[in-house]
Amino acid sequence: MKAAPIIQTAWRMLDLILQDEPPTDAALALALDELALAFHEVPEGRAATGIEEPPRRDGAGLRTIISARFPDYGYYAIVDPLDLTPDRVGVGDAIDDLVDIAGDLAEAVWRFDHLGADDAHWFLRLLHFHWGRHLRELSLYLHARRFG
């Protein structure tokens, strides 16, 4: 079965984060933009029934790999974009962003391979609140690193 554009983009993003030479900030920012754009074309999908369970995530192992590949990525400030007078500043973590994006995309790819496109699309839409937020915050972090 030919993979939908979002799955192809997820494969490329996973290679960029985990396999290929570590990317420049500009290359990673472009890949995040491509992922954000591909999401807009994801069909609704539906959850598979009687499903095989995806493998358990090894967040600590993934964090170790990503930390080694992106040693100068760190913490950054975040505020609630809907709060026009924020009195609290939160802290984001670029490594955590990459870990969470990679974890969610890896599960989507696993779902595509084992349960089909409908389930993978459903999963990507279901968890977009999570990986999409990490994507946007990491994009802003990379923008700040590149342009000050």
Side-chain angles (χ1 to χ4, degrees), residues 105-118:
L105 293 182
E107 183 167 338
V109 167
W110 182 92
R111 287 173 173 274
F112 176 82
D113 291 341
H114 293 87
L115 304 173
D118 272 351

Side-chain angles (χ1 to χ4, degrees), residues 70-77 91-97 138 141 145:
F70 298 89
D72 59 334
Y73 280 22
Y75 298 108
Y76 57 89
V91 177
D93 177 356
I95 297 298
D96 181 66
D97 293 335
L138 181 58
Y141 171 75
R145 281 174 52 101

Side-chain angles (χ1 to χ4, degrees), residues 9 39 42 54 66 106 126 130:
T9 304
F39 175 75
V42 175
I66 290 173
L126 177 70
H130 181 247

Side-chain angles (χ1 to χ4, degrees), residues 17-89:
I17 295 172
L18 300 170
Q19 301 296 325
D20 297 336
E21 286 296 312
T24 63
D25 287 355
L28 183 55
L30 176 61
L32 291 169
D33 289 346
E34 290 170 348
L35 182 60
L37 184 61
F39 175 75
H40 291 285
E41 302 299 323
V42 175
E44 288 296 321
R46 65 182 179 278
T49 56
I51 64 169
E52 174 184 355
E53 289 294 317
R56 288 186 57 88
R57 290 188 192 184
D58 179 9
L62 194 53
R63 186 171 189 77
T64 298
I65 292 166
I66 290 173
S67 294
R69 290 178 52 79
F70 298 89
D72 59 334
Y73 280 22
Y75 298 108
Y76 57 89
I78 56 173
V79 296
D80 178 352
L82 299 177
D83 185 353
L84 297 180
T85 57
D87 59 354
R88 291 184 311 169
V89 175

